[in-house]
Amino acid sequence: MKKNILPHLTALTLSMSAFSASSEVLLLAETGFIIENKIQVKADRETAWQVFTRDVGLWWPSDHTWWGDAKGLSIDTFAGGCFCEKSAGKSAEHMRISFVDPTHLMRMTGGLGPLQGMGMYGALEWDFKSQGEVTEVTMTYKVNGINPGGFEKLAPVVDKVQALQLGGLKQRLQNL
């Protein structure tokens, strides 16, 4: 049975207006897409990195988890580690950590959310750059796979969801 997940992804973007992150679909191809989201925060790079890795349960939106509670999320800070979720004996590996340069860059591989079940695979980079008292965090997701419906509708929805997620990080950093 073929299941269309686009309506479910679209529903996840309803609360986007509360967060501000620049977002853009950089590339749309027959076998995937590249999206980029950026935020700037008044925080040093070390603080931004620590909140990103240690406080993921406080900034990632709970409605973008498998079991509705972001407090079950964790991000390991070493290659081979996991961006994982646990809840009452259940667990999910959202992505595998493949590269870590602390306070500068983390690369994760895999498929986030519904993309995992669709057989999509990607590289998600979190890049932290400081300019004085401001840190820019850039989230770039390069996704590939086969989608019978194409990526023209899917890529912008994933882009908006990632803007929401990155907006959660921004809000958490602004509230410190």
Side-chain angles (χ1 to χ4, degrees):
M1 182 162 117
K2 206 179 206 184
K3 187 175 181 182
N4 182 2
I5 68 144
L6 192 57
H8 301 288
L9 286 172
T10 303
L12 296 175
T13 65
L14 294 176
S15 60
M16 286 293 299
S17 61
F19 303 103
S20 60
S22 70
S23 65
E24 182 179 3
V25 176
L26 297 177
L27 176 73
L28 192 58
E30 188 176 311
T31 58
F33 56 90
I34 300 173
I35 57 178
E36 181 179 85
N37 286 273
K38 292 183 182 185
I39 58 168
Q40 290 187 340
V41 293
K42 191 170 183 179
D44 61 85
R45 191 170 54 210
E46 176 71 29
T47 300
W49 178 266
Q50 294 304 324
V51 169
F52 163 65
T53 57
R54 292 185 185 166
D55 292 350
V56 64
L58 299 175
W59 62 264
W60 191 272
S62 285
D63 60 344
H64 290 268
T65 64
W66 289 113
W67 297 289
D69 187 1
K71 289 183 179 83
L73 294 172
S74 62
I75 297 176
D76 290 328
T77 55
F78 54 87
C82 184
F83 173 26
C84 288
E85 179 179 352
K86 294 180 182 177
S87 176
K90 301 174 278 191
S91 63
E93 178 182 281
H94 292 281
M95 303 191 95
R96 174 72 41 197
I97 311 303
S98 59
F99 181 90
V100 179
D101 182 358
T103 75
H104 295 281
L105 180 71
M106 179 178 285
R107 184 175 301 120
M108 303 174 176
T109 55
L112 279 173
L115 299 181
Q116 184 182 76
M118 296 172 71
M120 301 290 166
Y121 186 81
L124 176 61
E125 289 190 351
W126 300 82
D127 188 22
F128 293 75
K129 288 191 169 74
S130 288
Q131 298 173 356
E133 296 180 9
V134 175
T135 298
E136 181 175 79
V137 182
T138 303
M139 181 184 191
T140 306
Y141 197 24
K142 300 172 184 174
V143 178
N144 64 69
I146 297 172
N147 187 23
F151 292 100
E152 295 80 17
K153 293 180 182 175
L154 182 62
V157 172
V158 174
D159 186 49
K160 286 183 182 4
V161 169
Q162 290 208 330
L164 175 66
Q165 294 158 344
L166 193 56
L169 179 59
K170 181 176 184 171
Q171 183 179 42
R172 174 72 180 146
L173 285 162
Q174 288 175 332
N175 292 331
L176 291 179

